[in-house]
Amino acid sequence: VQLQASGGGLVQAGGSLRLSCAASIRTKTRVTLGWFRQAPGEDRVFVGSVGWNGDYTYYADSVKGRFTIIRDNAKNTMYLQMNNLKPEDTAVYYCAGKLVGLGRPWDYWGQGTQVTVSS
């Protein structure tokens, strides 16, 4: 599994941004995909995830109602649509993947993309 995130940038508070994660996954390999973020001086934290066929999504409370994860397996791409951005959303955003199965760790990581929200 190889992942590559893109789409970060500078946006004003209240604005929107869409991140993309291009995924290279072997045929018939079921992978849950997710987004994490890491602000300066802080730990990397979970933002949200989407099931291998896009049938469910989970979100951190801090982004519920503002962020939406979309998975397009035909394009091997996952998106993070971020609306109503706040300065506290400023972080490096990472896409990640894990094999489907109970207790599986997030084994696969893409490089981060910087999102900066100005007040």
Side-chain angles (χ1 to χ4, degrees), residues 5-75:
S6 62
L10 174 64
V11 63
Q12 288 188 332
S16 298
L17 203 60
R18 188 176 78 164
L19 306 182
S20 299
C21 176
S24 177
I25 302 174
R26 284 171 47 183
T27 304
K28 297 184 180 180
T29 301
R30 298 182 177 184
V31 178
T32 298
L33 295 176
W35 290 96
F36 290 74
R37 67 186 183 186
Q38 186 168 21
E42 298 183 10
D43 293 334
R44 190 175 301 186
V45 297
F46 174 80
V47 173
S49 63
V50 58
W52 71 272
N53 63 353
D55 58 340
Y56 69 84
T57 51
Y58 291 126
Y59 298 97
D61 287 343
S62 59
V63 305
K64 277 182 184 176
R66 299 187 299 122
F67 290 11
T68 303
I69 295 175
I70 301 166
R71 182 167 185 166
D72 186 343
N73 284 340
K75 297 182 178 179

Side-chain angles (χ1 to χ4, degrees), residues 82-103:
M82 304 184 292
N83 297 328
N84 190 22
L85 282 160
K86 304 176 181 180
E88 52 263 42
D89 294 317
T90 295
V92 177
Y93 284 71
Y94 298 88
C95 58
K98 61 177 179 176
L99 298 179
V100 170
L102 189 64

